[in-house]
Amino acid sequence: MAKISPEFEENMPAEVIFPVSADVSFASNHFPKYKLGPDNQILDEPKEDNKGPSLMEVVERETSQLSEQHKRLSVRDIASKFDKNLSAAAKLADEAKLREVASLEGHVLLKKLRDALESLRGRMAGRHKEDVEKAISMVEALAVKLTQKEGELIQEKFEVKKLANFLKQASEDAKKLVNQEKSFACAEIESARGVVQRFGEALEEEERISENSKNQAPVVQELIEEVQEGRRIKLMHQPTKMVDMEYELRALRTQIREKSVFSVKLQRELAICKRDEENKSRLYMLDGSETLGSCLRLRPCSDRSPLLSKCSVQWYRISTEGSQKELIAGVNKSAYAPEPFDVGRMLQAEIISNGQKVTVTTAGPIDPAAGLGSYVETLLRKSHSEFNVVISQVNGQDHPSHSVHVFNVGKMRIKLCRGWITKAREIYSMSMQLCGLRVDSNAAAKQLFWQARKGLSYVLTFDSERERNAAIIVARKYAQDFNVMLGGADDQSIEDN
């Protein structure tokens, strides 16, 4: 700044100097010092830099050191180094913000000073006016330098921010690498630990086997010696007689087997003869196989037997002990096709004629049909089972159409349909009945009686006896889940066997 003479200070009025606003904050408590060179040019005094090298030099030096040490540093060291550089970059960014604030204060100060000098220039004349103009030019030069410094500061700030982002990304990558290597190391450790454990178990097993073999060796040796001694004794005591005895035993076994087969045949023939003699004294007998899927029919045994058409007939179920006798409602004809309820029980028919009662009972309980159990298990694995049927009767009246329908037995309901047309669809309820046909019919073993609800009943004919019995069993199994017992009018209190 130009030096002002003492005469000028004495002659200058007091109101010429305007006070600086009190809200201005100065970076320091004194004006900066300058030196005047030739032609009154302002020369900056060399400043002592107590802060060390510049920001760019520090960044370049650190970057070169990192690139040189990249090959020999471990992943963990690289991550820690990136973290340190990231914190250093954050500190540099904070310092740049402080410098930006100081630069803003410098601009405010220079503007205030230039305004004061402009006001003085209008009041001065002569040499003093020239000094004031030089001071104004010096202030403008300072403003230009301050702007340049701000540009450099902005560039440094951009570089620091870029470097900080790079270091942050590198730090995250390094952390990922550390975690990945750590997981790989843990996996290798666990694998090695498992291998060591397996080797230990194998060694223990081998030691245990070796100890057992040592303990069993004397016992095995004793057994070998006993076998050898037995062979020696056998060879010494006429080995040919032993072979002859073995042949004789085989021949005796063959003869005993033949005698037992002949005895069974004789017993069967005797049973047949006894039955024929009993039939001669009886008026009626049952004709048909006593198994599920067949049809039992009453047949007269002599000429003095009354005609069955003129007699009243009633069928019963009898337990194998004979203690319980249950009437089968609706079965009052000379023929009856057993249903699943009858398996394991004997059947008895009572024939009443002219006040005389004659009973005919099966020789044993009704046997289950061969292969029916596995067939039912296969059907129960499905959500529903479908059977092809023909409607024989509807509400007790013959059905003229013989078209094939589908009888669908599901877990929730039973449905009878033909294509898209549904004849009946009912859920399991107490009003529903399902049992074998209980009237005299040539196809009774294939027919089923189904009362869907009160006022609607069907007689359905299946393709085979097995499908008819399987449909009854499957429907009763599903109905049990709803606490419903499907059967005839007299079967509501009978447990499903």
Side-chain angles (χ1 to χ4, degrees):
M1 184 183 291
K3 187 176 181 182
I4 302 174
S5 61
E7 295 81 6
F8 178 75
E9 290 180 358
E10 292 177 358
N11 297 330
M12 184 172 51
E15 66 272 13
V16 173
I17 301 173
F18 297 96
V20 181
S21 177
D23 58 352
V24 178
S25 61
F26 297 95
S28 61
N29 56 1
H30 59 84
F31 289 101
K33 297 179 181 181
Y34 303 96
K35 285 185 178 182
L36 294 176
D39 298 331
N40 294 324
Q41 295 292 327
I42 298 174
L43 299 177
D44 294 336
E45 292 183 359
K47 298 180 181 179
E48 295 181 359
D49 191 1
N50 297 326
K51 297 183 180 179
S54 64
L55 175 63
M56 295 300 295
E57 293 177 356
V58 173
V59 171
E60 290 178 359
R61 186 172 65 252
E62 293 293 335
T63 305
S64 62
Q65 289 179 0
L66 289 174
S67 61
E68 290 175 359
Q69 295 178 1
H70 177 70
K71 293 182 179 180
R72 64 175 181 270
L73 289 178
S74 64
V75 178
R76 192 182 299 277
D77 295 336
I78 292 173
S80 61
K81 193 68 175 178
F82 279 141
D83 291 337
K84 291 179 182 178
N85 290 334
L86 185 61
S87 61
K91 291 181 181 179
L92 291 175
D94 295 337
E95 292 179 0
K97 291 181 181 179
L98 294 175
R99 289 182 184 179
E100 185 177 358
V101 173
S103 175
L104 180 60
E105 293 177 354
H107 276 290
V108 174
L109 179 61
L110 289 177
K111 186 176 184 305
K112 294 289 185 180
L113 183 57
R114 190 177 182 282
D115 293 340
L117 291 175
E118 287 289 342
S119 63
L120 287 175
R121 186 175 63 177
R123 298 174 183 272
M124 298 296 173
R127 182 180 178 184
H128 299 292
K129 186 176 181 180
E130 293 177 357
D131 292 337
V132 172
E133 290 178 353
K134 289 181 180 180
I136 291 172
S137 62
M138 291 169 58
V139 171
E140 292 177 351
L142 286 174
V144 171
K145 287 186 177 182
L146 185 59
T147 304
Q148 292 177 355
K149 291 290 184 181
E150 287 179 355
E152 294 177 359
L153 181 62
I154 292 171
Q155 184 66 24
E156 290 180 359
K157 184 179 179 182
F158 175 75
E159 294 294 335
V160 169
K161 187 176 180 181
K162 184 177 180 181
L163 180 61
N165 293 332
F166 171 74
L167 292 175
K168 185 176 180 181
Q169 183 65 31
S171 178
E172 293 177 357
D173 295 340
K175 289 180 180 179
K176 290 181 180 179
L177 289 175
V178 169
N179 294 330
Q180 187 176 4
E181 292 295 332
K182 185 177 179 181
S183 62
F184 288 161
C186 291
E188 292 294 333
I189 291 171
E190 291 296 331
S191 177
R193 188 176 297 168
V195 172
V196 171
Q197 185 177 1
R198 289 195 296 272
F199 272 112
E201 293 176 355
L203 290 174
E204 293 177 358
E205 184 68 21
E206 186 176 358
E207 291 177 358
R208 186 165 56 254
I209 292 172
S210 62
E211 291 178 359
N212 294 333
S213 61
K214 290 179 181 179
N215 295 331
Q216 294 177 359
V219 178
V220 174
Q221 187 65 28
E222 291 178 359
L223 292 175
I224 292 173
E225 292 177 357
E226 290 180 0
V227 171
Q228 291 178 353
E229 183 67 18
R231 289 178 179 176
R232 187 179 64 82
I233 294 172
K234 183 178 179 181
L235 291 174
M236 290 175 63
H237 291 80
Q238 297 179 356
T240 54
K241 290 186 177 180
M242 298 291 295
V243 174
D244 294 339
M245 291 176 65
E246 290 180 358
Y247 284 127
E248 289 178 1
L249 288 174
R250 291 178 184 176
L252 289 173
R253 291 193 189 101
T254 304
Q255 291 179 4
I256 291 171
R257 190 179 301 110
E258 293 176 353
K259 296 289 184 181
S260 62
V261 172
F262 183 70
S263 175
V264 170
K265 289 182 179 180
L266 289 177
Q267 289 178 0
R268 288 181 180 178
E269 292 178 358
L270 182 61
I272 293 172
C273 292
K274 288 182 178 180
R275 185 179 298 177
D276 292 339
E277 291 179 357
E278 291 177 357
N279 292 336
K280 291 179 181 179
S281 61
R282 289 183 179 181
L283 298 177
Y284 303 96
M285 64 174 294
L286 286 175
D287 189 10
S289 176
E290 298 176 357
T291 58
L292 184 63
S294 63
C295 185
L296 298 176
R297 294 183 179 276
L298 291 172
R299 183 170 60 84
C301 296
S302 63
D303 296 337
R304 58 187 180 87
S305 300
L307 295 177
L308 289 172
S309 58
K310 297 180 180 180
C311 300
S312 62
V313 180
Q314 180 61 54
W315 291 75
Y316 296 89
R317 293 190 186 98
I318 303 177
S319 61
T320 54
E321 297 84 5
S323 60
Q324 187 177 5
K325 182 177 180 181
E326 299 171 358
L327 181 141
I328 306 176
V331 184
N332 50 15
K333 301 296 181 181
S334 61
Y336 173 62
E339 62 170 76
F341 268 154
D342 301 322
V343 175
R345 303 182 184 185
M346 295 187 295
L347 297 178
Q348 184 182 84
E350 287 188 355
I351 307 164
I352 300 175
S353 175
N354 298 326
Q356 184 181 3
K357 182 173 69 174
V358 179
T359 59
V360 181
T361 308
T362 56
I366 301 299
D367 296 327
L372 181 61
S374 59
Y375 180 56
V376 171
E377 290 179 359
T378 303
L379 295 178
L380 290 175
R381 296 191 188 102
K382 305 176 183 178
S383 60
H384 61 87
S385 304
E386 294 183 352
F387 305 93
N388 293 328
V389 298
V390 175
I391 300 176
S392 300
Q393 292 182 1
V394 178
N395 294 330
Q397 303 295 326
D398 293 339
H399 194 262
S401 176
H402 296 282
S403 58
V404 178
H405 291 67
V406 176
F407 187 64
N408 189 312
V409 180
K411 293 184 177 181
M412 301 290 294
R413 61 177 62 88
I414 298 178
K415 182 173 65 173
L416 179 64
C417 60
R418 179 188 177 190
W420 296 100
I421 302 173
T422 302
K423 296 287 186 179
R425 181 174 59 185
E426 298 293 333
I427 62 174
Y428 298 106
S429 62
M430 300 301 295
S431 62
M432 183 181 293
Q433 294 183 10
L434 185 72
C435 61
L437 187 63
R438 297 179 175 181
V439 296
D440 190 1
S441 174
N442 294 328
K446 298 181 181 180
Q447 291 180 334
L448 174 148
F449 172 78
W450 178 43
Q451 179 179 301
R453 59 180 182 272
K454 291 184 178 180
L456 180 61
S457 62
Y458 296 92
V459 173
L460 306 176
T461 303
F462 288 73
D463 291 340
S464 63
E465 294 83 357
R466 187 180 74 162
E467 291 188 356
R468 172 256 204 181
N469 294 320
I472 295 174
I473 296 174
V474 171
R476 288 174 178 173
K477 291 286 186 183
Y478 290 153
Q480 283 182 352
D481 298 336
F482 296 88
N483 294 326
V484 175
M485 184 62 63
L486 290 182
D490 64 325
D491 299 327
Q492 300 299 325
S493 60
I494 298 175
E495 294 182 357
D496 191 5
N497 292 324

